[in-house]
Amino acid sequence: MQRTRLAPDYEISRVIRGGWQMASGHGAASSDDPIADMIAFADAGITTFDCADIYTGVEELIGRFRLRYRHERGQAALDRIKVHTKFVPDLDVLPRITKGYVEGVIDQSLRRLNLDRLDLVQFHWWDYEAPRWLETASWLNELRQAGKIDRIGGTNFDTDHVEAIVGAGVPLTSMQVQYSLLDARPARRMAALAAEKGIAFLCYGTVAGGFFGDRWLGAPEPVEPYENRSLVKYKLIIDDFGGWDLFQALLRTLRAVADRHHVDIATIASAAMLSRPSVAAVIVGARSRAHLASNLAVSDVSLTDQDQEQIAAVLAEARDIQGDVYTLERDRHGRHGAIMKYNLNKGAA
């Protein structure tokens, strides 16, 4: 597993184990021992884990994993583990948010994760019309200075707001963005700013909720109801990208590339993003170790010029997804925003 440094003293695996699919409410659990699954990932070299205060039960699971991993593998092995969580205040809280609320949620994450200091806190803000987003970023920085947080990142901020946060003196190490072969919005403006400010992209959605998978190659266009919320979300992106026929053309191309590298379509879709400017890592959603081998292969694949040219030829026929990072999703009355859940942290602090 390739590793990369986000800072001189901060190293992560280039594939990150995502936690959203382990959250209660996402669907039936597919593993009898999720902690054993996390140990398998860590032993194999995927030593960075992504979660959030709003992923119900996931911070607690990772906290228990950390305790068991130290017991079974020792402190030196545990020291390689990085846990990236998120601070996601509810939409209803934003107009009246206080520093005390922020600190309360951070303290809750510390307890759940069994950490003395959070490795990376990724800040999300639902509505820019609620005016305290910059003040809240500064409060997180004060908690960093107090020793409760090591690094601050963001998730789903657009370019102008990232620039404002950095301009206010908040050191952003990373920005978690939806970035895939279907959705190139981060490349439009934010990539240049990220390169200038030394901000690393941590990419989610690289397999489009599972649509970038061999099971969908040649499959008829799905109709509602979909199996899970991820498919609902990313089918909208496919529609905006150019529709099911163009998506099938992309899948056929990815299958041809995958054949040359002896891997699956999902591996190629994620590996392609690791070659993009400012991309430090991709986040793979995994509910068990069933796909661990293909997750590990992501950083091993080195796409050739021929591979890149074939993929680019299909992408040239696609429509641009409109707006900056997360602009469509912020419109609560639009197709993308209407499916979001905005108040998942109730009673958190």
Side-chain angles (χ1 to χ4, degrees):
M1 172 52 55
Q2 292 180 8
R3 300 180 68 79
T4 188
R5 292 189 183 275
L6 303 189
D9 60 346
Y10 197 92
E11 184 178 272
I12 65 170
S13 52
R14 293 206 75 194
V15 175
I16 297 173
R17 165 78 186 266
W20 182 44
Q21 290 180 315
M22 293 191 296
S24 64
H26 190 81
S30 57
S31 174
D32 294 331
D33 193 346
I35 293 176
D37 289 336
M38 284 185 264
I39 290 173
F41 272 78
D43 285 349
I46 297 177
T47 57
T48 310
F49 294 80
D50 180 82
C51 60
D53 50 14
I54 61 171
Y55 296 175
T56 307
V58 178
E59 285 184 327
E60 292 94 334
L61 269 177
I62 293 176
R64 295 200 296 274
F65 151 71
R66 292 187 68 261
L67 293 177
R68 184 166 153 188
Y69 202 65
R70 181 175 61 190
H71 175 73
E72 296 185 5
R73 302 292 188 268
Q75 186 63 46
L78 182 64
D79 288 344
R80 286 169 57 85
I81 303 297
K82 296 294 184 186
V83 180
H84 298 174
T85 194
K86 301 181 188 70
F87 170 66
V88 187
D90 284 351
L91 178 65
D92 291 348
V93 168
L94 303 188
R96 61 182 187 278
I97 196 167
T98 64
K99 183 181 178 181
Y101 175 90
V102 176
E103 188 166 12
V105 176
I106 295 302
D107 286 344
Q108 175 179 260
S109 291
L110 285 166
R111 290 191 300 271
R112 288 171 169 176
L113 290 165
N114 289 306
L115 281 164
D116 296 322
R117 181 178 65 176
L118 297 176
D119 295 327
L120 176 72
V121 173
Q122 301 166 108
F123 173 37
H124 176 82
W125 192 263
W126 289 115
D127 185 1
Y128 296 140
E129 294 299 315
R132 293 186 177 178
W133 55 271
L134 189 55
E135 193 172 7
T136 301
S138 297
W139 289 333
L140 288 170
N141 194 36
E142 290 173 16
L143 293 172
R144 181 190 66 84
Q145 293 166 337
K148 292 191 174 187
I149 298 170
D150 185 7
R151 303 257 162 206
I152 298 174
T155 181
N156 294 328
F157 277 90
D158 64 23
T159 307
D160 291 339
H161 288 80
V162 170
E163 190 167 26
I165 290 171
V166 173
V170 179
L172 289 180
T173 295
S174 63
M175 186 59 54
Q176 187 174 137
V177 291
Q178 182 173 297
Y179 197 6
S180 71
L181 293 175
L182 295 173
D183 183 0
R185 285 177 290 177
R188 189 168 297 143
R189 293 182 59 214
M190 193 179 290
L193 179 67
E196 177 188 343
K197 302 298 183 182
I199 299 170
F201 284 158
L202 308 177
C203 303
Y204 70 89
T206 57
V207 298
F211 275 119
F212 277 129
D214 287 277
R215 64 171 285 205
W216 292 104
L217 177 62
E221 183 170 6
V223 296
E224 296 184 21
Y226 301 123
E227 294 173 23
N228 55 56
R229 288 179 59 215
S230 291
L231 295 182
V232 175
K233 172 181 172 61
Y234 291 105
K235 179 55 167 61
L236 294 175
I237 294 293
I238 290 171
D239 293 343
D240 290 349
F241 170 80
W244 194 250
D245 288 344
L246 183 58
F247 179 63
Q248 285 294 316
L250 180 56
L251 286 182
R252 289 192 294 272
T253 297
L254 295 180
R255 183 63 262 166
V257 173
D259 284 343
R260 289 196 288 270
H261 293 274
H262 309 290
V263 295
D264 58 20
I265 286 174
T267 298
I268 297 299
S270 290
M273 302 316 299
L274 285 180
S275 66
R276 298 296 198 265
S278 295
V279 173
V282 296
I283 301 167
V284 297
R287 301 174 70 188
S288 72
R289 74 190 89 171
H291 300 289
L292 177 55
S294 58
N295 295 155
L296 290 169
V298 169
S299 74
D300 293 334
V301 171
S302 181
L303 297 182
T304 66
D305 289 343
Q306 179 189 7
D307 297 333
Q308 298 280 17
E309 288 167 3
Q310 286 184 318
I311 294 169
V314 181
L315 298 183
E317 301 179 31
R319 296 191 295 262
D320 287 335
I321 307 294
Q322 294 302 304
D324 206 323
V325 172
Y326 215 68
T327 297
L328 290 172
E329 291 83 353
R330 285 187 183 279
D331 178 4
R332 296 197 296 277
H333 304 292
R335 294 164 53 247
H336 296 266
I339 67 171
M340 298 294 173
K341 293 186 177 181
Y342 296 94
N343 293 291
L344 293 173
N345 228 337
K346 287 188 180 297

